[in-house]
Amino acid sequence: MGLTSQSTGIATLKEMFEIKIESYDDIVVALAGNPNTGKSTVFNSLTGLNQHTGNWPGKTVTNAQGRYKYKDKQYTLVDLPGTYSLLANSIEEQIARDFICFGNPHVTVVVTDATSLERNLNLVLQIMEITNRVVVCVNLLDEANRKNIRVDLNKLERILGVPVVGTIARSGKGLEELKNAIEKVAKDEIKINPKKN
């Protein structure tokens, strides 16, 4: 059986994943990342009180969705379960992989921890194997600074070939730049050239 427009995209988001989309013009953003990278803080900072939680269909894993507006466009943000890999060894990994593969989000933001970037890049590279519509969010830059860890965001962006944005989500630093990068990827305004292994 081949994939059709009915088996991927908006129809799948609404039926298979029970994502609440108000309009077909909404931009759907998947938020992925390892546990303890500040992903929930990024989610809460972007969506504020405009969010709701439930469970993924047929699973006891929490499903958080939220909305935000940026430059007159509505964005639906889906907080995927924290996972180290997409190899589907756990329910969380399976949900994250299935949503990125079959939910066909317009953009996938991968939140990473600046203090343990090397470990977090495994998930980034796995997601880039599935989609090139990726923004890497290097969060917890304040923690990295306290540990004398310096991250060259421009060099990382050049190496990966996708937008890289540094944030301190708990204080809101970098979130406007993150929204801007998401918008540009969603509108195909950034030339994305992901690194191939």
Side-chain angles (χ1 to χ4, degrees), residues 75-137:
Y75 291 78
T76 298
L77 191 60
V78 180
D79 189 10
L80 300 177
T83 181
Y84 293 104
S85 162
L86 297 182
L87 299 178
N89 292 319
S90 70
I91 292 173
E92 289 80 8
E93 290 174 4
Q94 179 187 343
I95 289 168
R97 184 204 59 203
D98 287 353
F99 187 81
I100 294 166
C101 284
F102 305 114
N104 200 21
H106 296 96
V107 183
T108 299
V109 176
V110 188
V111 181
T112 62
D113 177 351
T115 67
S116 56
L117 196 52
E118 187 176 347
R119 182 184 71 206
N120 291 192
L121 285 175
N122 180 48
L123 181 64
V124 171
L125 294 174
Q126 287 181 14
I127 289 172
M128 286 172 56
E129 289 289 321
I130 296 171
T131 177
N132 66 351
R133 303 180 68 76
V134 172
V135 175
V136 175
C137 171

Side-chain angles (χ1 to χ4, degrees), residues 12 53 72 139 166:
T12 302
T53 58
D72 297 324
N139 194 31

Side-chain angles (χ1 to χ4, degrees), residues 139-169:
N139 194 31
L140 303 171
L141 286 175
D142 52 338
E143 297 289 330
N145 192 44
R146 274 196 280 281
K147 294 179 179 182
N148 290 319
I149 298 170
R150 302 284 176 262
V151 180
D152 187 335
L153 299 172
N154 292 326
K155 185 173 183 181
L156 185 60
E157 186 170 292
R158 283 194 308 274
I159 291 169
L160 293 175
V162 298
V164 174
V165 179
T167 62
I168 305 171

Side-chain angles (χ1 to χ4, degrees), residues 10 13 19 21 23 25-30 74-78 99 103-108 182 186:
I10 298 295
L13 287 170
I19 304 301
I21 298 169
S23 163
D25 292 333
D26 280 11
I27 294 170
V28 177
V29 181
Q74 288 287 344
Y75 291 78
T76 298
L77 191 60
V78 180
F99 187 81
N104 200 21
H106 296 96
V107 183
T108 299
I182 292 168

